[in-house]
Amino acid sequence: MARASGGGGPAFFISVVAVCVLWATAAEARSPAARAHRHLKRLNKPAVKSIEFRPAYHPEDLYDEAKSSIGSSNAGEKPMLQLWHQNGRCPEGTVPIRRTKKDDLLRASSIRRYGRKRHNAPNPMSVDPNMLSEGGHQGDKYYGAKATINVWEPKIQQANEFSLSQLWILGGSFGEDLNSIEAGWQVSPDLYGDNNTRLFTYWTSDAYQATGCYNVLCSGFIQINSEIAMGASIFPISNYGGSQYDISILIWKDPKEGNWWMQFGKQYVLGYWPSFLFSYLADSASMIEWGGEVVNSEPDGTHTSTQMGSGHFPEEGFGKASYFKNIQVVDSSNQLSAPKGVGTFTEQSNCYNVQNGNNGEWGTYFYYGGPGKNGNCP
């Protein structure tokens, strides 16, 4: 509101001009382009020195790490890398952050929702009441999980769909109070703008409503590692009938500090989720899950051909179907052990399916995945 403080016309004119400029500036600041620019500046911060912080405790392993090490399943082949390593590495004491571009924000439904799952995102697969009532879940406490995950590049039919393979650390009633820590690999054109297979994490403390995000796109996960970037492309990936590659992910709760830590492969401790982010997970997890997930947008009421895993059904086996192996849980004594009472669940077995097993080399494992739309999956 303009207000004249003197009796002359010029003073009034100057005051009006000043207010007009201020209003124009405020309107400009509220524009989508300005909001996007501010958000990009927050996400793409300059390099800063990392905090030297390490977990006080590390779980004791059940299996020989040589059986589930990061990299190729074929001896003598090069280890798993991220594509950005071809252009150099981060200076010591800094952490790599994938640069967010303007186009990334424009693909999102809103700037506020960028980097978050949709509000109506499906809860983990175990919301099925039959799974919740199975033995080995109710009343148990878990303090982490581990898996070696076969890496593929599934085809995505619609840009707003994704395909991922991950582990879930879960707490809560699977309603609006669900706590979840998630990590694995995903292909998501909507989030990243391409079809590359990327390492990712996610967290939420209220069932994907208002808290949490992918990777480091909001406050939450604190990265300490200078070698591995969240959201960066994984290389190489497995080939159908050819070389197979996998990644090893371990997430565990530090019994001293209470934070949830993530390790990639044998040597890369990537960072942690502070305990204060969560309610239920501030104590422990009540369920652990491993598996694949796809979003089916159902254009024209039919299932899309978005693939899960390798895009092939589990019965095809090694080299053709995707797998998880050496899946383990961290117990109250900070020991890694084979999970008990493992059940399997799939929503549409004609589109995607799962088969589990156990042996001396792979421990508890399963093959999973499928092509999506096919003759039996309309």
Side-chain angles (χ1 to χ4, degrees):
M1 176 178 176
R3 181 178 63 192
S5 57
F12 185 78
F13 178 77
I14 293 172
S15 178
V16 169
V17 171
V19 171
C20 288
V21 170
L22 287 172
W23 274 106
T25 303
E28 181 180 309
R30 292 194 299 270
S31 71
R35 290 200 303 270
H37 179 69
R38 290 197 302 272
H39 199 61
L40 285 171
K41 287 184 68 177
R42 285 194 295 268
L43 292 173
N44 299 320
K45 296 177 181 177
V48 294
K49 291 290 183 179
S50 64
I51 300 172
E52 291 298 324
F53 186 40
R54 293 290 185 274
Y57 295 90
H58 194 280
E60 296 292 333
D61 205 344
L62 172 68
Y63 296 107
D64 180 1
E65 280 286 355
K67 296 178 180 177
S68 59
S69 62
I70 180 175
S72 173
S73 295
N74 298 331
E77 296 195 3
K78 59 185 178 181
M80 183 74 64
L81 298 171
Q82 292 187 305
L83 287 177
W84 70 275
H85 291 161
Q86 298 175 357
N87 299 317
R89 302 294 176 106
C90 282
E92 184 178 354
T94 64
V95 298
I97 303 295
R98 178 182 177 270
R99 180 167 294 278
T100 302
K101 301 178 181 178
K102 184 178 180 181
D103 288 345
D104 294 329
L105 298 182
L106 295 177
R107 285 192 306 274
S109 58
S110 70
I111 294 176
R112 186 179 65 85
R113 296 299 304 173
Y114 174 67
R116 295 180 176 179
K117 291 186 177 181
R118 293 181 176 86
H119 177 66
N120 60 350
N123 279 340
M125 293 174 286
S126 55
V127 294
D128 177 58
N130 295 324
M131 282 293 290
L132 285 172
S133 63
E134 289 200 9
H137 296 297
Q138 295 278 29
D140 286 349
K141 290 188 175 184
Y142 303 99
Y143 298 87
K146 185 179 180 181
T148 298
I149 312 173
N150 196 197
V151 180
W152 294 83
E153 188 179 84
K155 300 297 184 291
I156 312 298
Q157 179 176 319
Q158 304 284 345
N160 63 341
E161 299 179 330
F162 65 69
S163 181
L164 59 78
S165 297
Q166 67 172 56
L167 58 85
W168 287 261
I169 310 287
L170 300 166
S173 64
F174 297 88
E176 293 188 351
D177 63 351
L178 177 71
N179 288 197
S180 182
I181 292 174
E182 306 165 22
W185 60 258
Q186 69 178 162
V187 177
S188 177
D190 195 40
L191 182 61
Y192 302 107
D194 57 32
N195 292 292
N196 291 349
T197 303
R198 296 172 180 272
L199 175 70
F200 84 96
T201 63
Y202 199 92
W203 73 273
T204 182
S205 62
D206 61 356
Y208 312 102
Q209 295 179 89
T211 63
C213 62
Y214 284 106
N215 307 322
V216 290
L217 294 176
C218 67
S219 298
F221 182 79
I222 298 174
Q223 184 161 344
I224 67 166
N225 187 275
S226 63
E227 297 289 326
I228 303 296
M230 296 299 187
S233 300
I234 297 172
F235 180 82
I237 58 172
S238 301
N239 297 302
Y240 184 80
S243 298
Q244 299 299 297
Y245 298 91
D246 49 49
I247 58 174
S248 176
I249 290 177
L250 167 65
I251 296 175
W252 80 99
K253 192 173 193 291
D254 185 330
K256 182 178 180 181
E257 302 293 339
N259 301 317
W260 289 89
W261 287 85
M262 177 178 175
Q263 179 173 311
F264 182 70
K266 291 188 293 183
Q267 68 271 45
Y268 300 116
V269 176
L270 301 188
Y272 64 97
W273 292 267
S275 179
F276 65 75
L277 295 173
F278 306 103
S279 51
Y280 294 95
L281 290 181
D283 174 45
S284 62
S286 58
M287 186 176 291
I288 305 295
E289 293 186 342
W290 303 263
E293 181 180 275
V294 299
V295 167
N296 170 32
S297 59
E298 295 187 345
D300 305 320
T302 63
H303 204 291
T304 63
S305 58
T306 290
Q307 300 174 336
M308 180 187 292
S310 68
H312 293 264
F313 285 113
E315 53 265 29
E316 293 195 42
F318 183 80
K320 298 178 180 179
S322 188
Y323 61 79
F324 278 64
K325 67 178 183 177
N326 289 340
I327 66 173
Q328 299 170 268
V329 296
V330 181
D331 61 23
S332 59
S333 61
N334 206 35
Q335 300 284 318
L336 275 162
S337 60
K340 299 177 181 178
V342 175
T344 60
F345 171 72
T346 178
E347 290 181 298
Q348 296 174 295
S349 60
N350 290 329
C351 309
Y352 316 100
N353 211 346
V354 59
Q355 292 181 354
N356 62 326
N358 188 282
N359 64 37
E361 182 180 357
W362 279 23
T364 304
Y365 70 90
F366 60 89
Y367 287 100
Y368 71 103
K373 186 176 181 179
N374 62 76
N376 296 319
C377 174

